[in-house]
Amino acid sequence: MKKIGFLSFGHWAPSPQSRTQSGADALLQSIDLAVEAERLGMDGAFFRVHHFAQQLASPFPLLAAVGAKTRKIEIGTAVIDMRYENPHYMAEDAGAADLISGGRLQLGISRGSPEQVIDGWRYFGYRPMEGENDEGMGRRHAEEFLELLRGKGFAQPNPRPMFTNPPGLLRLEPYSATLRDRIWWGSASNATAAWAAKLGMNLQSSTLKFDETGEPLHIQQAAQIRAFRAAWKDAGHKRTPRISVSRSIFALIDDHDRRYFGRGSQEEDTIGFLDENTRAIFGRSYAAEPDILIKQLRKDEAIEEADTLLLTVPNQLGVAYNAHVMEAILTTVATALGWR
């Protein structure tokens, strides 16, 4: 059994081929897609965050709106770039979104990836500390955020406050008591997966990972997941962690599917470089008739290891078509593979 959610990057483009023409379209269609996903029986609605791009960027208004329009589906991110975040402001926003949704927030965060502009976080007012790079800054912001989510008071109250304070030091409000256990770390390496486990975060592994062994992505991811679980056990955490992997999977059911994905799909992993020194492996796409998909996906070791699968969706093809894509996976693939 697996939880199955969708992951949308929220692209928009004012072109004739796109059904998502503007930022408003991307936001409103994201809400509609989450409502459709819940109706179909999907388990999660997740959104990627990118800055300085025609994509979703400010997650908390969207997450709160999705939480208000749905009742059961998990809502989350995969991922928020912590280099751009103020941990204190983020703790307030996350607490509010989680309370609006009734405790359904599954918040994926990370140190970030290459962005649209050079050092974009500088425009948001952030600088690495002396001896620290931007990756370290992102991890530091993440650790500050996690500490704030514990709800421990830290701020000295005003002796003459406008409103009566509870006794002792004050914490940020609104506070969600269980959100700390629903924070995920988007990891691209075995080492950061172990670091996330030590801090008690769940694990998100996407279709991109540092190429550490030269093996296919799904094999490297499976090893990463096992390293995460081992580090979790060594840390002595009491609860069972959650683990997700992302995949592009399309069941070719009708002529629309075949026209969009029936030819030229990426059937092998590819290798690229994120910068001068970082070699990365990018996962293949799956696009085939359901019986072929079932055989292919049975061989994916990382999906087998994970408890949650996030399906990346082509959001610019519109809400109706993406609902069809999700329904096809649920009805033709998930049951056959024992995910349902």
Side-chain angles (χ1 to χ4, degrees), residues 200-263:
M201 288 187 279
N202 303 304
L203 176 67
Q204 288 180 338
S205 192
S206 73
T207 53
L208 180 155
K209 184 185 178 297
F210 294 170
D211 185 15
E212 298 182 82
T213 66
E215 297 170 292
L217 173 73
H218 73 101
I219 294 176
Q220 293 197 50
Q221 271 189 326
Q224 179 192 43
I225 291 169
R226 290 190 288 269
F228 170 81
R229 287 202 176 103
W232 185 276
K233 182 179 180 181
D234 289 345
H237 302 304
K238 302 303 181 184
R239 67 180 177 88
T240 301
R242 295 274 302 275
I243 299 166
S244 75
V245 295
S246 303
R247 291 291 184 270
S248 297
I249 305 174
F250 302 98
L252 304 184
I253 302 294
D254 60 24
D255 290 341
H256 284 93
D257 302 325
R258 295 181 186 93
R259 183 166 68 250
Y260 289 137
F261 303 107
R263 298 188 215 173

Side-chain angles (χ1 to χ4, degrees), residues 207 209 211 217 266-272 280-284:
T207 53
K209 184 185 178 297
D211 185 15
L217 173 73
Q266 180 192 324
E267 296 184 356
E268 300 291 338
D269 298 337
T270 58
I271 299 295
I281 184 167
F282 300 82
R284 58 161 296 178

Side-chain angles (χ1 to χ4, degrees), residues 35 77 111 113 158 191 197 199-200 232 238 242 256 288 313 334:
V35 171
T77 51
R111 63 91 173 169
S113 59
N158 189 336
L199 292 180
W232 185 276
K238 302 303 181 184
R242 295 274 302 275
H256 284 93
V313 294

